[in-house]
Amino acid sequence: MLSRVAPWLASRKDVPDPPGISVRTLDGDDTAALVLLAQRDPVSNVFILAHLRATGTAAPTSGGAGVLGVFDDGVLAGACWAGANLVPIQLEPTLAGVVAAAANRSGRRYASAFGPAAAVLALHAELVDLGHRAHEVRPDQPLMTISEGPSVEPNPGLALGNLADFDRILPACAAMFEEEVGYSPFLGGREFYSRRVEGLIRQGHSLVHLNEAREVVFKAELGAVTSDVTQIQGVWMNPLYRGQGLSAGYMASVVEQARKVAPVTSLYVNGFNTRARATYERVGFSQVGTFATVLF
């Protein structure tokens, strides 16, 4: 069915949507179809599968975030989460044009787009033509997984985060965020990001090592979780402890904790971060795909 999409690539802006192709925001009746679509690649699509696991529906959230579905003769052929971020779901690059147009019509401002590289970069190209400008494009982010025990000795100091330590964990999370994207997560207020960190702690998805002085030495989160896959996010080492060869042991402990939740542990990393990639490989991760991130 998708073969008929080819005539309206990015170079054919004047051509209307092809017969049979339509885009709309999914609702609760589309939940089963979206689950089936996302389960074609449970590692790449862990973000939306975790959302569906938590909410039980493809319908928009109370905050207005939703899923744009692309239908080919009434069959869900691809989709894209459209909230604070854009996250393609089994989206062929040739479908990026209609998704970008729908996302643009919503009037939302998107902080980023992330996910499988081909789809994200195609979305970015379409959004540029619609006037959206990115301040950074990271086109090569290896998607890595491990489905067995770690290859190095875990650091026994890593433990689940505790709400009693929230005031110590939150600044570490904010420091990681600012290092990664270049601005503070508290721009526009502290409430949203603080609730996100608190929620991860309450869910048992915050992993942290505090030293005797109750300073955060290392932390990471299980940012997206299903019964099949976890995705590690927010890996951060206190600058005072960097360069001491501690990262592999901490990551091994993260894997041990993640394997209590799901059999496959995943993450994605900037391609230029050769030290982190080497650490993950030493722990036992191997590349299974490539993500990209566009920061708007």
Side-chain angles (χ1 to χ4, degrees):
M1 290 188 292
L2 294 181
S3 61
R4 68 168 66 98
V5 177
W8 54 273
L9 294 173
S11 60
R12 299 288 302 279
K13 297 296 181 184
D14 56 329
V15 178
D17 295 351
I21 297 294
S22 61
V23 181
R24 64 171 172 81
T25 299
L26 302 186
D27 58 30
D29 292 339
D30 300 303
T31 302
L34 181 60
V35 170
L36 286 175
L37 181 74
Q39 283 181 336
R40 294 180 188 173
D41 188 343
V43 173
S44 293
N45 297 318
V46 65
F47 172 86
I48 191 64
L49 287 169
H51 171 75
L52 292 170
R53 182 190 191 198
T55 65
T57 181
T61 69
S62 59
V67 180
L68 297 171
V70 183
F71 292 83
D72 189 352
D73 282 343
V75 177
L76 185 64
C80 185
W81 171 263
N85 310 293
L86 293 170
V87 186
I89 305 151
Q90 297 299 115
L91 186 70
E92 292 293 332
T94 50
L95 296 175
V98 291
V99 171
N104 184 63
R105 285 193 298 270
S106 74
R108 276 183 173 270
R109 295 188 63 184
Y110 303 101
S112 73
F114 64 87
V120 167
L121 297 176
L123 276 173
H124 172 236
E126 298 286 351
L127 288 167
V128 166
D129 286 349
L130 292 169
H132 297 259
R133 294 291 180 266
H135 73 80
E136 187 175 356
V137 178
R138 300 175 182 177
D140 177 23
Q141 296 179 308
L143 175 64
M144 310 181 79
T145 63
I146 182 172
S147 56
E148 55 189 20
S151 302
V152 301
E153 188 70 22
N155 188 315
L158 192 74
L160 296 180
N162 193 306
L163 282 175
D165 297 310
F166 176 78
D167 289 340
R168 296 173 175 86
I169 296 172
L170 179 62
C173 293
M176 178 283 306
F177 185 99
E178 190 160 355
E179 285 183 26
E180 180 67 17
V181 302
Y183 58 87
S184 170
F186 299 139
L187 287 177
R190 298 172 63 92
E191 182 180 0
F192 178 81
Y193 190 73
S194 297
R195 282 194 284 111
R196 167 67 174 164
V197 173
E198 181 182 347
L200 288 166
I201 295 172
R202 290 187 183 278
Q203 292 165 19
H205 296 166
S206 169
L207 304 170
V208 63
H209 180 203
L210 285 82
N211 62 17
E212 292 182 358
R214 309 308 291 168
E215 300 168 325
V216 175
V217 177
F218 174 92
K219 70 94 189 170
E221 290 84 43
L222 306 182
V225 175
T226 71
S227 59
D228 300 310
V229 182
T230 61
Q231 186 180 90
I232 300 170
Q233 299 174 0
V235 176
W236 183 81
M237 179 78 74
N238 187 318
L240 296 175
Y241 295 88
R242 295 175 186 175
Q244 299 180 28
L246 300 174
S247 295
Y250 280 122
M251 286 304 302
S253 291
V254 174
V255 170
E256 280 202 331
Q257 291 288 342
R259 281 171 53 79
K260 296 176 182 178
V261 179
V264 177
T265 306
S266 71
L267 56 79
Y268 61 100
V269 58
N270 290 317
F272 56 77
N273 194 342
T274 55
R275 291 183 64 180
R277 291 175 65 181
T279 295
Y280 300 148
E281 289 170 0
R282 182 182 168 201
V283 172
F285 285 87
S286 58
Q287 185 171 354
V288 296
T290 302
F291 268 23
T293 297
V294 177
L295 302 173
F296 293 106

